Amino acid sequence: MGVSTDTPIIETTSFPLSVAGDEITAAQLHGILRLRVDVFVVEQDCAYHEIDGRDLLPGTRHLWVGGSVAVDSYLRVLQDAGGTFRIGRVCTAVRSRGKGLAGRLMETALAGIGDAPCVLDAQTYATKFYAKYGFVVEGEEFMEDGIPHLTMWRREAPQQ
């Protein structure tokens, strides 16, 4: 007996879910990995090691907004040595772009990070998006998996 395509594989939400790496279910991780591969490997034609060993760590936070059968938008927060947080794997499904989902995920992630320093490696075209959240380019452009990137830091939370 097959699985109905109408059966949700993750929770249906209009708000971000946040789950620690050591608490994520197999179905949740499957939906997340599917979106990340769809965007980074297939759409951006970028062969890289998507499974990096950090998704299941207790200090990893997965944040996403889910649709009825798939993950619509996602990001991951890691804690690097020294207490610095790293945001990565920010992506939104083609069908869900232009709805502000990635922005909602960034706001949720940064609320959890608070005043702690935070870094990310932005695809160069996306630096204006991250600048809205207090990130500033530091360093020179570099190529990662054939795509130009810039390192961006938020060393202090912006004053409200």
Side-chain angles (χ1 to χ4, degrees):
M1 177 186 298
V3 175
S4 166
T5 57
D6 296 330
T7 304
I9 58 170
I10 63 160
E11 297 84 353
T12 301
T13 63
S14 59
F15 57 89
L17 291 170
S18 176
V19 176
D22 60 346
E23 296 175 356
I24 197 161
T25 69
Q28 290 168 334
L29 186 58
H30 177 271
I32 288 165
L33 292 173
R34 181 177 201 145
L35 174 64
R36 289 177 5 191
V37 167
D38 285 350
V39 172
F40 299 123
V41 177
V42 178
E43 180 184 337
Q44 296 183 355
D45 192 25
C46 183
Y48 74 105
H49 294 283
E50 172 53 34
I51 310 298
D52 64 2
R54 298 191 77 179
D55 286 319
L56 300 179
L57 297 176
T60 297
R61 294 298 306 178
H62 299 276
L63 287 83
W64 73 93
V65 176
S68 60
V69 294
V71 175
D72 290 321
S73 191
Y74 169 84
L75 68 72
R76 167 175 92 169
V77 179
L78 305 172
Q79 191 161 11
D80 288 341
T84 297
F85 288 92
R86 175 174 291 278
I87 293 177
R89 302 293 206 269
V90 181
C91 57
T92 300
V94 172
R95 68 183 176 277
S96 301
R97 293 183 185 155
K99 299 177 182 178
L101 299 179
R104 197 171 336 152
L105 290 174
M106 286 295 294
E107 291 166 2
T108 302
L110 293 172
I113 291 168
D115 292 334
C118 186
V119 65
L120 54 83
D121 291 329
Q123 292 185 8
T124 301
Y125 79 89
T127 56
K128 289 181 184 174
F129 170 76
Y130 295 114
K132 293 189 296 189
Y133 302 98
F135 286 87
V136 176
V137 171
E138 292 188 19
E140 299 297 317
E141 186 176 79
F142 62 94
M143 297 298 283
E144 183 173 326
D145 300 316
I147 298 172
H149 284 71
L150 288 160
T151 298
M152 299 183 77
W153 280 89
R154 189 190 75 146
R155 300 216 182 254
E156 295 180 6
Q159 299 300 316
Q160 299 290 329

